[in-house]
């Protein structure tokens, strides 16, 4: 399959009827995707790597062109990109703008999105002052990924000549009537031709809402910028208000410091409470351990009482030894014999022949034998 046929199949198609604008963009997309071997990147064309060009920077297109109907565009049978135009002021470019442009880009399978931006002179005369200048608004839009081309100094009302000049197939905008001088809806004729494609607004955000927030909190933002080095002249603030805001800034700094000190104090107190609980728990554990050891040592059956009883017994025995053994009982035979023998000896020694002996004298030899 050739590169041209591959591009046709992918959706960002080139054909002999296409203008040079799409040729340039398709070549850029093709070069970006040639180095990526992925199914995702084959199906999803990459975002632009350069800002969107201005219409006067692009070469003129000399190829014949015919506007397509809505049915033809939605059928997917058209071989060229569908050119959709979306206009606006786009002051303070925000998410609501980006979402509207995203919807316009996705109206058809292959959309070439042209965005027209009104100049400062036209906007100030028709609607009022803007926050950003026209140059800033142009530059902000150039970096939106959905935009393929930007028209500077766009008209307030799209005429047939303007639409033909830029080869516009459809115009995208929200469906709320947009009044202007001499008409209640500037898109009335476009809607009658069947060229209008409605997009949905994003609730909760708009340029007017952002400006309202700034005006509502004017003092806060003025004090913020004064604190960041802007002068009262830069902010168009009087001398009295400048001093008032300066005092308020100092008061706020003191309040913030007090809040930080209070926060740190609370944190210190929480840390102390946590540590105190931990210390109390450890103290209770140590107390139980000490009491257990004390009772084990000094209790009724403790080590100290056991030692005292045993020591007392040993000391008592050392100071009061046991008495000598007593004589044998008189009725013992051995005792009788012993007594009789001693009695005989006493009688012999006393010379009393009738006292249990016959007056026998023991010689020295008998004594030695005994």
């Amino acid at each position: 399959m050739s590169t041209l046929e591959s591009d046709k199949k992918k959706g960002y198609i080139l054909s002999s009827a296409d203008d040079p604008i799409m040729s340039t963009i398709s070549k850029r997309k093709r070069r970006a995707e040639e180095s990526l071997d992925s199914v995702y990147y084959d199906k999803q064309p990459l975002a632009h790597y350069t800002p969107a060009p201005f219409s006067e920077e692009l070469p003129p297109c000399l190829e014949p062109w015919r506007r397509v109907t809505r049915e033809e565009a939605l059928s997917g049978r058209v071989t060229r990109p569908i050119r959709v135009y979306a206009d606006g002021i786009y002051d303070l470019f925000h998410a609501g703008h980006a979402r509207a442009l995203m919807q316009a880009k996705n109206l058809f399978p292959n959309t070439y999105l042209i965005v027209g931006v009104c100049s400062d002179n036209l906007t100030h005369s028709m609607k009022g002052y803007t926050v950003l200048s026209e140059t800033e608004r142009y530059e902000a839009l150039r970096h939106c990924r959905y935009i393929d081309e930007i028209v500077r100094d766009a008209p307030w009302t799209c005429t047939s000549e303007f639409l033909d000049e830029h080869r516009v197939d459809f115009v995208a905008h929200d469906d709320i009537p947009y009044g202007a001088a001499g008409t209640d809806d500037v898109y009335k004729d476009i809607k009658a031709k069947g060229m209008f494609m409605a997009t949905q607004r994003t609730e909760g955000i708009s340029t007017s809402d952002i400006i309202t927030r700034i005006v509502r909190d004017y003092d806060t933002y003025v004090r913020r910028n004064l604190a960041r080095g802007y002068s009262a002249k830069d902010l168009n603030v009087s001398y009295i208000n400048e001093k008032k805001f300066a005092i308020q800034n100092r008061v706020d700094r003191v309040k913030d410091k007090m809040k930080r000190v209070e926060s740190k104090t609370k944190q210190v107190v929480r840390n102390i409470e946590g540590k105190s609980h931990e210390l109390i728990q450890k103290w209770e554990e140590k107390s139980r351990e000490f009491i257990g050891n004390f009772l084990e040592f000094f209790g009724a059956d403790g080590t100290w009482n056991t030692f005292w009883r045993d020591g007392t017994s040993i000391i008592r025995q050392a100071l009061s030894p046991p008495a000598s053994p007593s004589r044998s009982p008189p009725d013992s035979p051995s005792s009788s014999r012993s007594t009789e023998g001693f009695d005989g000896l006493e009688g012999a020694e006393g010379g009393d022949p009738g006292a249990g002996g016959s007056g026998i004298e023991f010689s020295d030899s008998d004594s030695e034998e005994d």
Side-chain angles (χ1 to χ4, degrees):
M1 180 183 295
S2 65
T3 305
L4 182 60
E5 292 174 349
S6 176
D7 286 343
K8 288 181 179 179
K9 188 173 182 180
K10 289 179 181 178
Y12 42 87
I13 313 136
L14 284 176
S15 68
S16 58
D18 287 329
D19 54 19
I21 298 173
M22 285 309 301
S23 176
T24 302
I25 293 174
S26 296
K27 287 178 181 178
R28 184 169 67 244
K29 291 179 179 178
R30 187 166 59 251
R31 284 196 302 269
E33 293 182 355
E34 281 176 353
S35 60
L36 300 172
D37 185 15
S38 171
V39 175
Y40 174 80
Y41 289 114
D42 286 343
K43 294 182 178 181
Q44 296 290 333
L46 298 180
H48 301 318
Y49 290 93
T50 57
F54 294 116
S55 58
E56 62 269 19
E57 297 175 348
L58 298 173
C61 182
L62 304 177
E63 295 291 332
W65 169 82
R66 180 185 66 85
R67 181 174 290 120
V68 298
T69 64
R70 182 181 306 211
E71 291 73 17
E72 291 174 334
L74 292 174
S75 67
R77 294 192 298 267
V78 181
T79 58
R80 65 169 179 83
I82 308 301
R83 298 171 67 87
V84 176
Y85 176 77
D87 61 351
I89 300 168
Y90 300 105
D91 191 20
L92 297 176
F93 187 74
H94 51 73
H97 294 142
R99 291 179 63 85
L101 296 176
M102 178 187 68
Q103 295 176 58
K105 182 71 173 180
N106 288 277
L107 287 172
F108 305 104
N110 186 23
T111 301
Y112 182 84
L113 181 59
I114 307 168
V115 176
V117 186
C118 300
S119 65
D120 284 346
N121 291 333
L122 181 60
T123 303
H124 296 168
S125 63
M126 299 296 294
K127 190 172 183 180
Y129 287 103
T130 58
V131 178
L132 301 180
S133 66
E134 60 183 33
T135 303
E136 293 169 329
R137 292 185 283 120
Y138 297 153
E139 194 62 25
L141 281 165
R142 291 187 71 192
H143 299 279
C144 178
R145 65 180 300 170
Y146 308 114
I147 299 174
D148 298 297
E149 179 184 339
I150 292 178
V151 177
R152 290 188 283 196
D153 194 11
W156 198 259
T157 302
C158 297
T159 62
S160 299
E161 293 76 17
F162 175 83
L163 298 177
D164 292 341
E165 177 186 354
H166 293 278
R167 300 188 171 199
V168 175
D169 293 307
F170 299 96
V171 175
H173 200 274
D174 63 76
D175 202 17
I176 300 175
Y178 205 88
T183 179
D184 56 352
D185 189 0
V186 296
Y187 300 104
K188 183 177 181 180
D189 294 338
I190 297 174
K191 292 177 181 178
K193 295 177 182 179
M195 295 174 57
F196 186 83
M197 302 295 293
T199 58
Q200 299 297 319
R201 295 177 64 90
T202 301
E203 295 296 330
I205 184 168
S206 67
T207 302
S208 298
D209 291 338
I210 295 174
I211 294 175
T212 300
R213 296 179 205 172
I214 297 173
V215 172
R216 181 187 59 201
D217 300 325
Y218 168 78
D219 288 1
T220 301
Y221 292 116
V222 170
R223 290 162 53 191
R224 168 185 177 272
N225 282 6
L226 286 173
R228 295 193 175 190
Y230 288 88
S231 66
K233 185 178 180 181
D234 295 334
L235 301 173
N236 195 25
V237 175
S238 66
Y239 177 81
I240 295 176
N241 285 336
E242 179 187 8
K243 297 305 177 184
K244 180 187 73 173
F245 292 142
I247 294 172
Q248 289 177 342
N249 284 338
R250 285 196 290 271
V251 171
D252 287 346
R253 284 196 294 269
V254 173
K255 288 181 179 179
D256 291 340
K257 187 175 182 180
M258 292 178 64
K259 287 180 180 179
R260 289 195 297 270
V261 171
E262 182 181 2
S263 177
K264 290 182 179 179
T265 304
K266 289 181 179 180
Q267 184 64 35
V268 170
V269 171
R270 284 193 293 268
N271 292 340
I272 292 175
E273 289 178 351
K275 290 185 178 295
S276 63
H277 290 316
E278 182 179 354
L279 290 173
I280 291 173
Q281 185 178 2
K282 289 184 178 180
W283 181 82
E284 290 178 349
E285 294 176 357
K286 293 295 182 182
S287 298
R288 286 193 292 268
E289 181 180 355
F290 176 78
I291 293 171
N293 293 337
F294 182 86
L295 293 176
E296 182 180 356
F297 192 79
F298 293 103
D301 297 327
T303 305
W304 174 254
N305 284 341
T306 303
F307 173 76
W308 178 255
R309 286 195 300 269
D310 294 346
T312 302
S313 177
I314 292 171
I315 294 171
R316 188 182 295 114
Q317 290 179 2
L319 296 177
S320 302
S324 300
S326 59
R327 288 188 175 185
S328 300
D331 55 352
S332 169
S334 60
S335 300
S336 300
R337 288 194 296 270
S338 300
T339 304
E340 289 175 359
F342 283 110
D343 291 341
L345 290 175
E346 292 175 357
E349 292 176 354
D352 188 1
S358 56
I360 300 175
E361 296 180 2
F362 293 95
S363 62
D364 294 338
S365 59
D366 294 336
S367 300
E368 291 174 359
E369 288 179 0
D370 294 332

